Amino acid sequence: MQVSLLNLKLQYQGIREEVRKEIEKVCDNQSFILGENVKALEQEIAGYCNAKFAIGVGSGTDAILLALMAAGVGARDMVITTPYTFFATASSIARLNANPIFIDIEPDTYNIDPNKLEACLKQFTGRSSRFTVKAIIPVHLFGQCAEMEPILKISKKHKLTVIEDAAQAIGAEYKGERAGSIGDFGCFSFYPSKNLGGFGDGGMVVTNNERMAEKVKILRVHGSKPKYYHKFVGINSRLDELQAAVLRVKLRHLATWTNNRIERAKKYDKLFQDVGLTDAVSLPTARPYNRHVFNQYIIRVKKRDSLREYLAKEGIGTEVYYPVPLHLQECFKYLGYKKGDFPVSEKAAKETLALPIYPELTPEEQEYVVDKIAGFYGKANL
Ligand SMILES: *Cc1c(COP(=O)(O)O)cnc(C)c1O
């Protein structure tokens, strides 16, 4: 049996006619940039995320960059985030000549640990600092929201802009609130492997602040309004009509697909419990007030790399998110961090493994995956 980490072909089979019809219409219209599909998708995503405004942009990375720009982050500013995330969270900060400051994660959710926030702020604020802490980017990693309540409370006290990196968490909820609508900005990615993925790159910024929405809208078209009159130096980052057309079709299925992901996560949990593997394999945990949408199903194991190799030989695709925490990346050497600074992230980077999860995954495939993992640890005699 072959079980790939992700199989988008199966999803496409179910929506092929719908998608082709919409693409055809865009071709007939020959309006490719910021047309009616983008406008409609912006409204639909705002509705889905329970936010007032949504602005379609070129990618999830640009969504973060534009939110930071709108928040006024620039040189000599600092932005707090987690070292255990996709590179784009921190690179967007660095591209504005601001400095990322990292805070370690919680061991169970892999999200930024709010208990370490006050101490970090104490260290980096104060009169002697040449830099100002302007914002924080909590990441809703793997599809579960970060601990937003304390983050918002502390951010309010210190006047930090809160930018949610919700790239992996569309439809996730924290205490009944939708990911992206909780902080000042929410940033989404439509990279094909995300829960709502396009046929290429795409992204969206959502916000409840009209002034900020307007600013992002201007910044995505070179900072110009009206056309050819530039109030700011913006970037060129627009969602295109073809992507928006595809995404609108997919959005109609997102609720079902999300439920299917959640069901498959539950099924994995049960299978691991049934074979008595929960000693060797730590399962993902969701806080009771969180709706985890499982962009990834992440287990934590010993001998991770050997397990991964073994599963590959058995036809099972897995991935390591992420093998090198960001404070140890070569490009961030200048920040002055060293090994041992964020032990929880460093440990997670060595122990976590993403298993195949997608709405079309069958029970037989899931049983096969768990069987093979059980076989591996049986042999390894743990
Ligand atoms: C995918 C992702 C991004 C970047 O999105 P792109 O659309 O690929 O630019 C940012 N942050 C996180 C956590 C992501 O998973």
Side-chain angles (χ1 to χ4, degrees):
M1 197 184 272
Q2 292 282 325
V3 190
S4 50
L5 183 68
L6 176 65
N7 186 339
L8 287 169
K9 286 182 186 162
L10 294 171
Q11 185 189 70
Y12 181 55
Q13 279 169 21
I15 55 172
R16 194 172 183 276
E17 295 318 312
E18 274 178 286
V19 166
R20 291 194 155 223
K21 204 176 87 202
E22 293 306 320
I23 289 179
E24 191 80 11
K25 279 194 216 159
V26 176
C27 295
D28 288 339
N29 274 340
Q30 290 291 303
S31 160
F32 297 115
I33 303 289
L34 299 180
E36 59 190 41
N37 279 296
V38 171
K39 215 172 237 162
L41 180 71
E42 287 173 342
Q43 276 173 9
E44 289 160 12
I45 293 283
Y48 193 82
C49 298
N50 210 6
K52 285 200 186 116
F53 309 96
I55 306 101
V57 299
S59 68
T61 305
D62 281 355
I64 300 168
L65 184 69
L66 285 161
L68 286 165
M69 288 171 84
V73 170
R76 295 198 165 270
D77 290 330
M78 297 189 285
V79 178
I80 296 171
T81 192
T82 148
Y84 192 67
T85 175
F86 180 60
F87 180 67
T89 316
S91 69
S92 310
I93 302 166
R95 277 185 56 190
L96 294 170
N97 295 316
N99 272 0
I101 299 177
F102 298 118
I103 292 186
D104 214 350
I105 54 169
E106 305 171 325
D108 54 342
T109 66
Y110 307 107
N111 282 326
I112 194 164
D113 186 344
N115 293 317
K116 301 193 171 113
L117 184 51
E118 287 274 22
C120 170
L121 282 162
K122 212 173 195 169
Q123 187 189 341
F124 285 101
T125 50
R127 270 187 303 172
S128 63
S129 177
R130 293 183 299 129
F131 291 82
T132 320
V133 186
K134 271 262 179 76
I136 178 167
I137 311 181
V139 180
H140 305 323
L141 203 66
F142 304 138
Q144 171 166 222
C145 286
E147 203 54 72
M148 292 304 288
E149 217 166 69
I151 292 172
L152 289 177
K153 198 168 148 222
I154 298 166
S155 298
K156 196 169 173 195
K157 193 170 125 197
H158 293 266
K159 299 195 168 62
L160 306 183
T161 300
V162 180
I163 299 169
E164 297 171 63
D165 181 344
Q168 302 181 5
I170 192 163
E173 283 173 20
Y174 174 83
K175 300 188 177 175
E177 287 188 77
R178 282 264 156 130
S181 70
I182 309 167
D184 298 297
F185 296 93
C187 301
F188 293 97
S189 163
F190 303 129
Y191 185 78
S193 69
K194 303 294 156 90
N195 285 16
L196 178 63
F199 284 7
D201 279 310
M204 189 80 68
V205 179
V206 305
T207 178
N208 288 314
N209 182 320
E210 188 168 10
R211 200 171 57 85
M212 285 296 118
E214 182 62 18
K215 200 160 175 198
V216 171
K217 238 173 156 172
I218 295 172
L219 286 167
R220 80 173 160 179
V221 288
H222 301 283
S224 98
K225 193 187 179 183
K227 212 172 180 183
Y228 306 125
Y229 290 79
H230 298 263
K231 205 165 168 178
F232 317 104
V233 179
I235 60 176
N236 171 15
S237 183
R238 302 169 293 220
L239 185 63
D240 77 61
E241 226 11 53
L242 278 169
Q243 294 306 333
V246 172
L247 288 163
R248 288 186 70 202
V249 172
K250 286 201 178 193
L251 184 58
R252 299 202 281 265
H253 300 271
L254 186 60
T256 310
W257 290 340
T258 302
N259 286 333
N260 287 349
R261 281 178 181 273
I262 294 168
E263 260 172 39
R264 274 141 192 82
K266 275 193 196 136
K267 167 107 185 156
Y268 268 136
D269 288 350
K270 186 169 184 317
L271 289 169
F272 280 117
Q273 279 150 8
D274 287 352
V275 291
L277 253 182
T278 44
D279 276 348
V281 177
S282 302
L283 304 179
T285 53
R287 301 268 154 85
Y289 44 78
N290 271 346
R291 178 177 194 240
H292 190 327
V293 294
F294 291 97
N295 179 241
Q296 301 297 340
Y297 185 90
I298 300 292
I299 57 171
R300 191 195 271 271
V301 293
K302 301 225 168 67
K303 303 183 189 167
R304 192 257 328 261
D305 295 335
S306 325
L307 172 65
R308 182 158 194 240
E309 239 169 76
Y310 175 82
L311 293 176
K313 282 197 194 108
E314 299 290 351
I316 298 167
T318 61
E319 187 53 276
V320 173
Y321 299 114
Y322 298 92
V324 183
L326 299 186
H327 67 290
L328 301 178
Q329 294 287 352
E330 200 175 328
C331 66
F332 288 140
K333 248 188 198 155
Y334 69 95
L335 295 172
Y337 290 110
K338 58 182 191 311
K339 214 170 181 165
D341 282 349
F342 304 108
V344 186
S345 297
E346 289 168 32
K347 192 162 186 278
K350 289 196 183 85
E351 295 181 343
T352 56
L353 190 66
L355 300 183
I357 190 157
Y358 47 87
E360 300 79 12
L361 193 67
T362 67
E364 294 73 27
E365 287 167 331
Q366 290 194 274
E367 281 155 23
Y368 180 73
V369 171
V370 175
D371 260 1
K372 290 298 164 190
I373 295 174
F376 175 82
Y377 287 107
K379 269 182 230 158
N381 207 11
L382 266 185

